[in-house]
Coordinates of all heavy atoms in Angstrom, one line a residue:
Chain Y
P122 N 21.5 -30.6 28.4 CA 22.1 -31.9 27.9 C 22.7 -31.8 26.5 O 23.6 -32.6 26.2 CB 21.0 -32.9 28.0 CG 19.7 -32.1 28.0 CD 20.1 -30.8 28.7
V123 N 22.2 -30.8 25.7 CA 22.7 -30.8 24.3 C 24.2 -30.4 24.3 O 24.9 -30.6 23.3 CB 21.9 -29.8 23.4 CG1 20.5 -30.2 23.2 CG2 22.0 -28.4 24.0
L124 N 24.7 -29.9 25.4 CA 26.1 -29.5 25.3 C 27.0 -30.5 25.9 O 28.2 -30.3 26.1 CB 26.3 -28.2 26.1 CG 25.7 -26.9 25.5 CD1 25.9 -25.7 26.3 CD2 26.2 -26.7 24.1
L125 N 26.5 -31.7 26.2 CA 27.3 -32.8 26.8 C 28.4 -33.2 25.8 O 28.1 -33.4 24.6 CB 26.5 -34.0 27.1 CG 25.7 -33.9 28.5 CD1 24.8 -35.1 28.6 CD2 26.7 -33.8 29.6
P126 N 29.6 -33.3 26.3 CA 30.7 -33.7 25.4 C 30.7 -35.2 25.2 O 30.2 -36.0 26.1 CB 32.0 -33.3 26.1 CG 31.6 -33.2 27.6 CD 30.1 -32.9 27.6
K127 N 31.2 -35.7 24.1 CA 31.2 -37.1 23.8 C 32.7 -37.5 23.5 O 33.2 -37.1 22.5 CB 30.3 -37.5 22.6 CG 30.3 -39.0 22.3 CD 29.5 -39.2 21.0 CE 29.5 -40.7 20.7 NZ 29.0 -40.9 19.3
P128 N 33.2 -38.4 24.4 CA 34.6 -38.8 24.2 C 34.7 -39.6 22.9 O 33.8 -40.3 22.5 CB 35.0 -39.6 25.4 CG 33.9 -39.3 26.4 CD 32.7 -38.9 25.7
A129 N 35.9 -39.4 22.2 CA 36.1 -40.2 21.0 C 36.4 -41.6 21.4 O 36.7 -41.9 22.5 CB 37.3 -39.6 20.2
S130 N 36.3 -42.5 20.4 CA 36.4 -44.0 20.7 C 37.8 -44.3 21.3 O 38.0 -45.2 22.0 CB 36.1 -44.8 19.5 OG 37.0 -44.3 18.4
T131 N 38.8 -43.4 20.9 CA 40.2 -43.7 21.3 C 40.4 -43.1 22.7 O 41.5 -43.3 23.3 CB 41.1 -43.1 20.3 OG1 40.8 -41.8 20.1 CG2 41.1 -43.9 19.0
A132 N 39.5 -42.2 23.1 CA 39.8 -41.5 24.4 C 39.3 -42.2 25.6 O 38.5 -43.1 25.5 CB 39.1 -40.1 24.3
D133 N 39.8 -41.8 26.8 CA 39.4 -42.3 28.0 C 38.0 -42.0 28.3 O 37.5 -40.9 28.0 CB 40.3 -41.7 29.1 CG 40.0 -42.2 30.5 OD1 39.1 -43.0 30.6 OD2 40.8 -41.9 31.4
R134 N 37.2 -42.9 28.9 CA 35.8 -42.7 29.1 C 35.5 -41.6 30.1 O 34.5 -40.9 30.1 CB 35.1 -44.0 29.7 CG 35.0 -45.1 28.6 CD 34.5 -46.3 29.2 NE 33.2 -46.1 29.8 CZ 32.6 -47.0 30.7 NH1 33.3 -48.1 31.0 NH2 31.4 -46.8 31.2
L135 N 36.5 -41.3 31.0 CA 36.4 -40.2 31.9 C 37.1 -38.9 31.5 O 37.4 -38.1 32.3 CB 36.9 -40.7 33.3 CG 36.1 -41.8 33.9 CD1 36.8 -42.2 35.3 CD2 34.7 -41.4 34.2
A136 N 37.4 -38.9 30.2 CA 38.1 -37.7 29.7 C 37.4 -36.4 30.0 O 38.1 -35.4 30.1 CB 38.3 -37.9 28.1
S137 N 36.1 -36.4 30.1 CA 35.4 -35.2 30.3 C 35.7 -34.6 31.7 O 35.4 -33.4 31.9 CB 33.9 -35.4 30.1 OG 33.5 -36.5 30.9
L138 N 36.3 -35.4 32.5 CA 36.6 -34.9 33.9 C 38.1 -34.6 33.9 O 38.6 -34.1 34.9 CB 36.2 -35.9 34.9 CG 34.7 -36.2 35.1 CD1 34.5 -37.3 36.0 CD2 34.0 -34.9 35.5
A139 N 38.9 -35.0 32.9 CA 40.3 -34.8 32.9 C 40.7 -33.4 32.7 O 40.1 -32.6 32.0 CB 41.0 -35.7 31.9
E140 N 41.8 -33.0 33.5 CA 42.2 -31.6 33.4 C 42.8 -31.1 32.1 O 42.7 -30.0 31.7 CB 43.3 -31.3 34.5 CG 42.7 -31.0 35.8 CD 43.7 -30.3 36.7 OE1 44.8 -30.0 36.2 OE2 43.4 -30.0 37.9
E141 N 43.4 -32.1 31.4 CA 44.1 -31.7 30.1 C 43.2 -32.0 28.9 O 43.7 -31.8 27.8 CB 45.4 -32.5 30.0 CG 46.3 -32.4 31.2 CD 46.7 -31.0 31.5 OE1 46.8 -30.2 30.6 OE2 46.8 -30.7 32.7
S142 N 42.0 -32.5 29.1 CA 41.1 -32.8 27.9 C 40.2 -31.7 27.5 O 39.6 -31.0 28.4 CB 40.3 -34.1 28.2 OG 41.2 -35.2 28.5
I143 N 40.0 -31.6 26.2 CA 39.1 -30.6 25.8 C 38.2 -31.2 24.6 O 38.7 -32.1 23.9 CB 39.8 -29.3 25.2 CG1 38.9 -28.2 25.0 CG2 40.6 -29.6 24.0 CD1 39.6 -26.8 24.8
F144 N 37.0 -30.7 24.5 CA 36.1 -31.3 23.5 C 35.7 -30.1 22.5 O 35.3 -29.0 23.0 CB 34.8 -31.8 24.1 CG 35.1 -33.0 25.0 CD1 35.6 -32.9 26.3 CD2 34.9 -34.3 24.5 CE1 35.9 -33.9 27.1 CE2 35.2 -35.4 25.3 CZ 35.7 -35.2 26.6
L145 N 35.9 -30.4 21.3 CA 35.6 -29.3 20.3 C 34.4 -29.7 19.4 O 34.3 -30.9 19.0 CB 36.8 -29.1 19.3 CG 38.1 -28.6 19.9 CD1 39.1 -28.4 18.7 CD2 37.9 -27.4 20.7
S146 N 33.5 -28.7 19.1 CA 32.4 -29.0 18.2 C 33.0 -29.3 16.8 O 34.1 -28.9 16.5 CB 31.5 -27.8 18.2 OG 32.1 -26.7 17.6
R147 N 32.1 -29.9 16.0 CA 32.6 -30.2 14.6 C 33.1 -28.9 13.9 O 34.1 -28.9 13.2 CB 31.5 -30.9 13.8 CG 31.2 -32.3 14.3 CD 32.2 -33.2 13.7 NE 32.3 -34.5 14.4 CZ 31.5 -35.5 14.2 NH1 30.5 -35.4 13.3 NH2 31.6 -36.6 14.9
A148 N 32.3 -27.8 14.1 CA 32.6 -26.6 13.4 C 34.0 -26.1 13.8 O 34.8 -25.6 13.0 CB 31.6 -25.5 13.6
A149 N 34.3 -26.2 15.1 CA 35.6 -25.7 15.7 C 36.7 -26.6 15.1 O 37.8 -26.1 14.8 CB 35.5 -25.8 17.2
Q150 N 36.5 -28.0 15.1 CA 37.5 -28.9 14.5 C 37.8 -28.5 13.1 O 39.0 -28.5 12.7 CB 37.0 -30.3 14.6 CG 36.9 -30.8 16.1 CD 36.4 -32.3 16.1 OE1 36.5 -33.0 15.2 NE2 35.7 -32.7 17.2
T151 N 36.7 -28.2 12.3 CA 36.9 -27.9 10.9 C 37.7 -26.6 10.8 O 38.7 -26.5 10.0 CB 35.6 -27.8 10.2 OG1 34.9 -29.0 10.4 CG2 35.8 -27.6 8.7
A152 N 37.3 -25.6 11.6 CA 37.9 -24.3 11.5 C 39.4 -24.3 11.9 O 40.2 -23.6 11.3 CB 37.1 -23.3 12.3
L153 N 39.7 -25.1 12.9 CA 41.1 -25.1 13.4 C 41.9 -26.2 12.7 O 43.1 -26.3 12.9 CB 41.1 -25.3 14.9 CG 40.2 -24.3 15.7 CD1 40.4 -24.6 17.2 CD2 40.6 -22.9 15.4
G154 N 41.2 -27.1 12.0 CA 42.0 -28.2 11.3 C 42.5 -29.2 12.3 O 43.6 -29.7 12.1
R155 N 41.7 -29.5 13.3 CA 42.1 -30.4 14.3 C 41.1 -31.5 14.5 O 39.9 -31.3 14.1 CB 42.3 -29.7 15.7 CG 43.5 -28.8 15.7 CD 44.8 -29.6 15.8 NE 46.0 -28.8 16.0 CZ 46.7 -28.2 15.0 NH1 46.2 -28.3 13.7 NH2 47.7 -27.6 15.2
Q156 N 41.5 -32.6 15.0 CA 40.6 -33.8 15.3 C 40.9 -34.4 16.6 O 42.0 -34.2 17.1 CB 40.6 -34.7 14.1 CG 42.0 -35.3 13.8 CD 42.0 -36.2 12.6 OE1 41.0 -36.3 11.9 NE2 43.1 -36.8 12.3
P157 N 40.0 -35.3 17.1 CA 40.3 -35.9 18.4 C 41.6 -36.7 18.3 O 42.0 -37.3 17.3 CB 39.1 -36.9 18.5 CG 38.0 -36.2 17.8 CD 38.6 -35.6 16.6
G158 N 42.3 -36.5 19.4 CA 43.7 -37.1 19.5 C 44.8 -36.1 19.3 O 45.9 -36.2 19.8
D159 N 44.5 -35.0 18.6 CA 45.5 -33.9 18.4 C 45.6 -33.0 19.6 O 44.7 -33.0 20.5 CB 45.0 -33.0 17.2 CG 45.1 -33.7 15.9 OD1 45.6 -34.8 15.8 OD2 44.5 -33.2 14.9
D160 N 46.8 -32.4 19.7 CA 47.0 -31.4 20.7 C 46.6 -30.0 20.2 O 46.7 -29.7 19.0 CB 48.4 -31.4 21.2 CG 48.8 -32.6 22.0 OD1 47.8 -33.2 22.5 OD2 50.0 -33.0 22.0
I161 N 46.2 -29.1 21.1 CA 45.9 -27.8 20.7 C 46.3 -26.8 21.8 O 46.2 -27.0 23.0 CB 44.4 -27.7 20.5 CG1 44.0 -26.3 19.9 CG2 43.5 -28.0 21.7 CD1 42.6 -26.2 19.5
D162 N 46.9 -25.6 21.3 CA 47.4 -24.6 22.3 C 46.3 -23.5 22.3 O 46.0 -22.9 21.2 CB 48.7 -24.0 21.9 CG 49.8 -25.0 22.1 OD1 49.7 -25.8 23.1 OD2 50.8 -25.1 21.3
L163 N 45.8 -23.1 23.4 CA 44.8 -22.1 23.6 C 45.3 -21.0 24.5 O 46.1 -21.3 25.5 CB 43.5 -22.6 24.0 CG 42.8 -23.6 23.1 CD1 41.5 -24.2 23.8 CD2 42.5 -23.0 21.8
Q164 N 44.9 -19.7 24.2 CA 45.4 -18.6 25.1 C 44.2 -17.8 25.5 O 43.3 -17.4 24.6 CB 46.4 -17.8 24.3 CG 47.0 -16.7 25.1 CD 48.0 -15.9 24.4 OE1 48.5 -16.3 23.3 NE2 48.5 -14.8 25.0

Side-chain angles (χ1 to χ4, degrees):
Chain Y
V123 292
L124 292 180
L125 279 175
K127 182 186 175 190
S130 55
T131 52
D133 184 353
R134 286 176 61 196
L135 296 176
S137 52
L138 297 173
E140 273 201 7
E141 308 302 326
S142 297
I143 192 167
F144 296 80
L145 297 186
S146 67
R147 288 281 160 84
Q150 290 179 26
T151 307
L153 307 183
R155 290 287 186 274
Q156 57 186 3
D159 291 348
D160 288 339
I161 183 171
D162 289 327
L163 296 176
Q164 184 176 350

